[in-house]
């Protein structure tokens, strides 16, 4: 019946071990080659004979990323409906095949393979985390298919099979630093989640700071999902930095901002610039905690462009007046329209023809006119610094005078020449 | 000096959160040997209780005070149901309970997603908990102070219940020797139910407390379950005083490590300390001494 002391001691240890493994199973690292195991056929199975054409959406509709990625799925759905209502692409109606990436990179790779090989879609749209993109990249290259990736990311990547419609670093992070420098910021404290994007972003910030004479007073990382920031906010407060650059992801932001505020730090005394908090995230973090803080994106719901007014109105009409639109949603919406423009310019759904036609294709996006750069498959974007207002929306406080050319490898920046190696 | 006090308080405060999360677990784990992986999700239920109460009572102060007993009830009833429907059938089969409760945890997470949505929700802290007081120049956040106080009140209540009431005496008798307790007429069934009710209720209270410092999302529980198990294991199974010492030591150590290195390295060092400690003392800080033969 009862176990001896030694056995009793074993069980809890086993429990703790299992608990650790189970709790960590949402964040496993993918084998980048998995999912591409099915041999590349070289010939596409896309059926262009009927009056419809299949496109694939791949988003996490379950798991920890569902919170963000389901919003991208919604805006892709809106874009597909708009395109169908206006006559489709080359006269063919879009037929959407949707797959759930389930917040796991391996699942993304596997499902992407299915969308290409079994469903024979002409192009695939989606992905959010860098690990999901990195897992899908070999699948799209091996099958010579097209992925449109709609989220800002850490740069230093370019594939002829991926079109990046979110910002690369010189369209988000560097403009944010320029803005801070312009405001007279002399010292910064860096806080981020411990994974590839924040680490790469902070490497770029360190190089920039070294070149421009900004002092970095601290660089702190916390495990994803971390909820205790009392030590970090003590360090931040103690550093007396002019501003904080925040690359935390997900729920950690809630704990960070609450505890930041509770030791008496405010947007007036020490502003925080965040690169992962958009309109969607503000209510979860708590408006009280982030009002007045700064964000760096290329799109805000409050932008006063005709294309944005139409986008916001259409989105609210379809999904409800209480819903908001954010940068990744806008980039996803734009990506589908850009693909349509590329296909129509090429006059064909074939991947190599679309790739050849891509350079210089433009779309009047909600954020302003965007142009595809055929050399690196990124697009021009207009960086904007925003301030979170009392309604939880974001007001633009600074905007780049013109759209910025994408430079994923930071080749045009002297101080960054060691980074791309 | 200012920093030292700030960091000491950060450690105590982290310790109090760990203690709140682990108190209930220490009870259920200790009494019944049930490895309850859904303990974190009971915390989550407590946290969402605070959210629901706040929606009903818009005043953040009153809603917090109402949420604490409400969270205890919701957590406790959830624990009772779990015990009655599932765990009762698998006492003495620890590995089965581990898997079953992990399944329950997943179901509860999905239920929370379906009811409240995947994004985290905002539970506002009352005005009188905004800001901080200064102690020798170091800012002491009021929310943290509140949680420290709450954990001490819960601890005192639990100790009082166990040591000074007939109810507690029966619970302790069952912990010490289930068969003998049964022989002398203690209803172990009732005692098990009650233990589970109180243990899960404390998890519910912990859930209400952490809404003040972190996010309220379906994944809330997964952030705390590992640490809670670590506290219970390091403290010694079923040993409340062990859990108290373990929680505050881990809290202070974590904040010291984190301050002198980084958050990630600090976490690694903590785990190393626990592994080494358990190598030397596998039974934890205190161990249960019984005359039980088996």
């Amino acid at each position: 019946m009862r176990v001896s002391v030694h056995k009793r001691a074993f069980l809890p240890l086993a429990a703790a071990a299992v608990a650790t493994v189970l709790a960590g199973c949402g964040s496993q690292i993918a084998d980048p080659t998995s999912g591409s195991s099915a041999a590349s056929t070289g010939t596409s199975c896309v059926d262009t004979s009927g009056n419809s054409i299949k496109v694939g959406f791949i988003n996490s509709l379950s798991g920890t990323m569902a919170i963000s990625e389901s919003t991208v799925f919604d805006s892709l759905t809106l874009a597909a409906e708009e395109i169908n209502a206006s006559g489709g692409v080359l006269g063919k109606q879009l037929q959407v095949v949707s797959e759930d990436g389930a917040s796991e990179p391996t699942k993304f790779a596997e499902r992407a393979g299915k969308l290409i090989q079994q469903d024979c879609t002409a192009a695939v749209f989606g992905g959010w985390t860098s690990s999901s993109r990195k897992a899908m990249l070999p699948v799209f290259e091996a099958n010579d298919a097209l992925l449109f990736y709609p989220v800002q990311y850490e740069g230093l990547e370019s594939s002829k099979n991926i079109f990046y419609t979110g910002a690369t670093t010189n369209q988000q992070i560097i403009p944010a630093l320029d803005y801070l420098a312009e405001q007279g910021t002399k010292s910064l404290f860096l806080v981020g989640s411990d994974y590839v994007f924040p680490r790469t972003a902070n490497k770029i910030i360190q190089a920039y700071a070294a070149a421009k004479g900004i002092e970095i007073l601290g660089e702190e990382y916390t495990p994803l999902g971390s909820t205790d920031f009392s030590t970090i906010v003590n360090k931040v407060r103690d550093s007396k930095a002019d501003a904080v650059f925040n690359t935390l992801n997900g729920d950690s932001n809630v704990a960070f901002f609450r505890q930041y505020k509770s030791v008496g730090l405010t947007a007036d005394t020490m502003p925080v610039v965040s690169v992962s908090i958009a309109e969607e995230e503000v209510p979860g973090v708590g408006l009280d905690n982030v009002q007045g803080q700064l964000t760096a994106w290329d799109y805000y719901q409050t932008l006063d462009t005709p294309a944005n007014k139409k986008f916001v109105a259409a989105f609210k009409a379809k999904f409800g007046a209480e819903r908001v639109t954010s940068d990744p949603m806008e980039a996803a919406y734009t990506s589908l329209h850009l693909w349509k423009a590329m296909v129509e310019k090429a006059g064909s759904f074939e991947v190599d023809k679309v790739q050849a036609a891509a350079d210089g294709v433009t779309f009047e996006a909600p954020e302003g006119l965007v142009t595809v750069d055929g050399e690196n498959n990124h697009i021009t974007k207009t960086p904007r610094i925003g301030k979170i207002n009392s309604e939880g929306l974001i007001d633009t406080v600074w905007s780049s005078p013109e759209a910025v050319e994408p430079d994923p490898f930071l080749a045009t920046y002297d101080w960054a020449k060691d980074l791309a190696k | 000096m200012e920093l030292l006090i700030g960091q000491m308080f950060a450690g105590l405060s982290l310790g109090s959160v760990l203690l709140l999360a682990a108190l209930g677990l220490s009870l259920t784990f200790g009494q019944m040997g049930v490895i309850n992986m859904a303990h974190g999700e009971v915390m989550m239920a407590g946290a969402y209780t605070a959210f629901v109460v706040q929606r009903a009572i818009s005043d953040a102060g009153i809603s917090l005070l109402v949420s604490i007993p409400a969270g205890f009830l919701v957590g406790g009833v959830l624990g009772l149901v779990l015990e009655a429907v599932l765990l009762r059938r698998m006492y003495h089969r620890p590995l089965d309970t581990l898997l079953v409760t992990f399944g329950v945890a997943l179901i509860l997470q999905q239920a929370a997603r379906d009811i409240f949505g995947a994004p985290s929700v905002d539970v506002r802290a009352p005005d009188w908990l905004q800001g901080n007081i200064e102690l020798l120049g170091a800012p002491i956040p009021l929310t943290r102070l509140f949680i420290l106080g709450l954990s001490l009140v819960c601890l005192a209540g639990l100790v009082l219940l166990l040591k000074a009431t007939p109810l507690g005496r029966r619970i302790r008798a069952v912990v010490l020797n289930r068969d003998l307790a049964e022989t002398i007429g203690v209803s172990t069934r009732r005692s098990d139910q009650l233990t589970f009710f109180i243990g899960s209720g404390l998890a519910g209270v912990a859930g209400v407390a952490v809404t003040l410092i972190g996010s309220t999302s379906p994944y809330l529980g997964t952030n705390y379950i590992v640490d809670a198990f670590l506290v219970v294991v390091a403290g010694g199974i079923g040993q409340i005083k062990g859990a108290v010492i373990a929680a505050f030591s881990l809290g202070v150590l974590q904040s010291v490590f984190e301050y002198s290195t980084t958050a990630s390295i600090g976490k690694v060092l903590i785990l190393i300390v626990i592994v080494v400690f358990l190598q030397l003392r596998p039974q934890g800080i205190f161990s249960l001494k019984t005359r039980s033969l088996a």
Side-chain angles (χ1 to χ4, degrees):
Chain A
M1 286 286 281
R2 294 188 54 97
V3 281
S4 73
V5 168
H6 275 96
K7 277 189 194 152
R8 284 180 66 92
F10 162 75
L11 277 177
L13 268 182
V18 171
T20 314
V21 171
L22 293 178
C25 67
S27 56
Q28 52 190 246
I29 311 291
D31 170 4
T33 55
S34 64
S36 60
S37 47
S40 164
T41 52
T43 53
S44 149
C45 63
V46 177
D47 177 16
T48 54
S49 59
N51 53 8
S52 71
I53 183 87
K54 282 183 180 171
V55 292
F57 292 173
I58 186 158
N59 309 97
S60 295
L61 302 177
S62 60
T64 156
M65 290 306 298
I67 168 177
S68 306
E69 293 189 46
S70 53
T71 66
V72 163
F73 175 74
D74 289 346
S75 73
L76 282 171
T77 308
L78 174 69
E81 279 185 11
E82 281 184 9
I83 289 172
N84 282 344
S86 66
V89 179
L90 290 183
K92 294 183 197 298
Q93 291 285 299
L94 299 183
Q95 189 189 337
V96 173
V97 184
S98 168
E99 283 294 340
D100 181 3
S103 309
E104 287 177 38
T106 43
K107 192 62 83 54
F108 269 97
E110 178 200 320
R111 297 289 145 149
K114 174 184 170 281
L115 283 173
I116 301 165
Q117 292 164 353
Q118 286 181 30
D119 298 320
C120 300
T121 55
V124 178
F125 301 80
W128 183 292
T129 65
S130 287
S131 40
S132 70
R133 188 191 66 253
K134 297 245 185 233
M136 289 191 285
L137 186 140
V139 181
F140 282 92
E141 290 191 341
N143 291 288
D144 199 21
L146 288 180
L147 171 68
F148 284 75
Y149 174 75
V151 184
Q152 48 82 228
Y153 81 113
E154 68 280 358
L156 307 178
E157 190 181 290
S158 174
S159 163
K160 71 179 174 55
N161 296 98
I162 301 184
F163 284 95
Y164 307 80
T165 62
T168 178
T169 48
N170 79 315
Q171 296 164 324
Q172 183 187 29
I173 290 170
I174 295 171
L177 293 168
D178 285 338
Y179 170 79
L180 287 173
E182 199 180 293
Q183 297 290 307
T185 305
K186 295 269 175 286
S187 58
L188 275 179
F189 199 103
L190 314 181
V191 179
S193 296
D194 207 351
Y195 73 105
V196 55
F197 171 72
R199 290 231 173 225
T200 314
N202 284 347
K203 226 187 267 173
I204 292 168
I205 296 173
Q206 291 274 12
Y208 179 97
K212 303 279 166 97
I214 295 175
E215 206 182 343
I216 303 292
L217 296 173
E219 182 175 349
E220 290 287 332
Y221 297 96
T222 65
L224 273 172
S226 184
T227 52
D228 192 87
F229 282 87
S230 41
T231 300
I232 285 180
V233 296
N234 276 351
K235 281 188 184 177
V236 171
R237 184 175 181 276
D238 203 46
S239 74
K240 304 196 168 53
D242 289 342
V244 177
F245 206 98
N246 166 25
T247 45
L248 290 169
N249 212 341
D251 285 348
S252 291
N253 275 308
V254 186
F256 172 72
F257 277 105
R258 290 206 158 184
Q259 295 170 33
Y260 192 78
K261 193 181 170 211
S262 75
V263 294
L265 296 169
T266 65
D268 296 328
T269 55
M270 203 190 280
V272 181
V273 183
S274 305
V275 293
S276 332
I277 297 183
E279 289 86 345
E280 272 296 329
E281 285 78 21
V282 170
V285 179
L287 182 55
D288 282 357
N289 303 309
V290 287
Q291 193 182 335
Q293 300 287 15
L294 302 173
T295 60
W297 293 101
D298 301 277
Y299 167 87
Y300 300 113
Q301 183 181 317
T302 56
L303 288 186
D304 193 17
T305 66
N308 184 43
K309 283 186 176 146
K310 181 173 150 257
F311 170 58
V312 173
F315 190 86
K316 283 181 184 282
K318 180 160 173 59
F319 295 103
E322 76 292 350
R323 292 286 303 270
V324 291
T325 56
S326 68
D327 184 289
M329 292 158 74
E330 187 265 352
Y333 173 84
T334 301
S335 71
L336 200 66
H337 283 282
L338 276 176
W339 173 73
K340 168 180 148 79
M342 290 176 197
V343 169
E344 288 178 346
K345 184 179 166 197
S348 160
F349 290 102
E350 280 173 48
V351 169
D352 51 346
K353 293 196 177 138
V354 172
Q355 284 166 333
D359 190 44
V361 164
T362 60
F363 173 64
E364 193 59 56
E367 67 175 275
L369 187 76
V370 298
T371 311
V372 177
D373 183 330
E375 215 156 284
N376 52 31
N377 279 3
H378 289 59
I379 66 173
T380 61
K381 295 184 81 83
T382 311
R384 293 178 171 97
I385 303 299
K387 191 176 217 167
I388 299 169
N389 69 22
S390 57
E391 289 161 37
L393 294 177
I394 304 176
D395 296 327
T396 309
V397 293
W398 176 88
S399 167
S400 164
E402 57 199 359
V404 173
E405 297 281 331
D407 182 7
F409 293 93
L410 301 179
T412 56
Y413 298 85
D414 271 350
W415 50 266
K417 59 181 182 295
D418 292 337
L419 288 172
K421 284 177 189 163
Chain B
M1 187 63 195
E2 175 190 331
L3 248 177
L4 189 72
I5 292 175
Q7 273 314 102
M8 271 310 288
F9 185 78
L12 289 179
S13 144
L14 178 57
S16 67
V17 175
L18 291 178
L19 180 63
L20 263 182
L23 261 186
L25 199 62
S26 166
L27 203 61
T28 52
F29 201 9
Q31 155 124 352
M32 302 184 281
V34 170
I35 299 171
N36 184 8
M37 293 293 297
H39 189 78
E41 277 59 42
V42 179
M43 278 179 74
M44 175 196 76
Y48 275 108
T49 306
F51 173 69
V52 171
V53 169
Q54 196 168 77
R55 263 207 303 210
I57 309 171
S58 58
D59 183 284
I62 299 169
S63 82
L64 176 65
L65 297 178
V66 173
S67 297
I68 292 172
F72 184 86
L73 265 181
V74 168
V77 169
L78 200 59
L80 265 188
V81 171
L82 186 62
E83 202 272 350
V85 176
L86 289 171
L87 298 180
R88 181 163 62 89
R89 302 165 203 282
M90 42 189 70
Y91 285 138
H92 313 298
R93 286 156 55 196
L95 288 176
D96 292 355
T97 57
L98 192 155
L99 288 176
V100 164
T101 52
F102 182 65
V104 170
L106 292 180
I107 292 170
L108 289 175
Q109 281 177 24
Q110 188 59 46
R113 261 198 299 273
D114 289 346
I115 300 170
F116 299 102
S120 54
V121 296
D122 183 29
V123 181
R124 283 169 294 120
D127 287 338
W128 42 270
L129 283 182
Q130 306 274 5
N132 54 77
I133 53 165
E134 297 248 330
L135 182 65
L136 299 174
I140 306 292
L142 288 170
T143 45
R144 294 282 185 164
L145 209 56
F146 180 81
I147 292 176
L148 184 63
L150 182 66
S151 72
L152 294 178
V153 168
C154 286
L155 175 66
L158 184 61
V159 169
L160 211 64
L161 176 90
L162 287 179
K163 302 281 175 188
T165 64
L167 219 71
R169 212 161 32 243
R170 284 202 288 275
I171 291 181
R172 281 187 298 141
V174 177
V175 173
L176 283 173
N177 193 323
R178 179 175 290 266
D179 297 338
L180 197 57
E182 203 155 342
T183 331
I184 58 169
V186 175
S187 164
T188 55
R189 197 60 219 107
R190 284 282 312 280
S191 158
D192 283 346
Q193 282 170 342
L194 193 74
T195 315
F196 226 83
F197 177 73
I198 297 170
S200 304
L202 286 171
V205 174
V208 174
V210 297
T211 59
L212 293 173
I213 51 171
S215 67
T216 306
S217 74
Y219 314 100
L220 181 142
T222 53
N223 296 330
Y224 293 96
I225 186 76
V226 176
D227 286 338
F229 268 110
L230 285 180
V231 167
V232 174
V233 171
I237 312 305
Q239 296 292 315
I240 304 289
K241 64 185 170 195
V244 174
I245 295 174
F248 285 108
S249 319
L250 288 181
V252 171
L253 272 182
Q254 164 93 38
S255 72
V256 168
F257 286 155
E258 197 178 322
Y259 194 80
S260 41
T261 61
T262 66
S264 302
I265 300 287
K267 197 86 200 166
V268 172
L269 289 176
I270 277 287
L271 291 171
I272 291 176
V273 166
I274 292 176
V275 168
V276 170
F277 175 76
L278 289 176
Q279 288 297 313
L280 300 172
R281 222 182 138 72
Q283 68 274 43
I285 298 174
F286 297 104
S287 62
L288 194 64
K289 291 188 182 60
T290 88
R291 293 185 179 170
S292 174
L293 290 175

